[in-house]
Amino acid sequence: MKFNKLLSDCASRKTDSSMPIVALLAGLAVGAVVGILFAPESGENTRGKISDKAGDLAETVKDKLHSIKGRFSHELDEAEDAKDEIVGKVKKKAEDVADKAKSEVKRASDDLNDVVQDS
């Protein structure tokens, strides 16, 4: 009963990112039950095959997670590089503007000083 409630709760949340995981687990459970019921081999052999498949699935999931982690790490590095480049450009531009403002103030001060001395 709790399983049905969990499935209906997950189905009602269409934007929930756990939905594919729940669907995968439900599919695995159904596939395991059907496989056991219709297996022409003994229970021991069938359980061994299921165990092997579960191990293969676990390895596949680990590989995919590792791949995703590597991709996120790469994207994070690129974002940090882009941030550093933008910050550097902004600092350079701010320094250029400050230098230009200082030179303009100096020029205006010199012009004013010349006017005062000529008077």
Side-chain angles (χ1 to χ4, degrees):
M1 200 50 134
K2 290 181 182 181
F3 182 71
N4 288 337
K5 185 174 181 338
L6 175 65
L7 282 178
S8 66
D9 287 347
C10 289
S12 67
R13 288 185 250 146
K14 295 183 191 245
T15 60
D16 188 7
S17 63
S18 65
M19 188 63 181
I21 295 171
V22 171
L24 174 70
L25 294 175
L28 286 173
V30 169
V33 169
V34 169
I36 290 171
L37 291 176
F38 293 104
E41 297 178 8
S42 69
E44 185 176 337
N45 289 341
T46 302
R47 285 189 297 275
K49 286 183 178 180
I50 290 172
S51 176
D52 291 343
K53 291 291 182 183
D56 292 345
L57 179 63
E59 286 299 317
T60 302
V61 168
K62 284 180 188 177
D63 290 344
K64 293 289 183 187
L65 287 175
H66 184 68
S67 172
I68 290 170
K69 182 181 175 185
R71 208 173 331 139
F72 280 137
S73 177
H74 177 70
E75 294 294 328
L76 181 61
D77 290 343
E78 285 184 356
E80 287 179 6
D81 291 345
K83 176 205 58 134
D84 291 342
E85 182 179 341
I86 290 169
V87 167
K89 286 180 179 180
V90 168
K91 283 183 180 179
K92 175 74 169 108
K93 189 69 170 176
E95 289 171 357
D96 291 346
V97 168
D99 290 343
K100 186 175 181 181
K102 285 178 186 177
S103 67
E104 289 294 319
V105 168
K106 175 75 170 136
R107 187 190 56 78
S109 174
D110 290 344
D111 289 347
L112 182 61
N113 194 17
D114 290 343
V115 168
V116 170
Q117 287 180 357
D118 289 341
S119 303

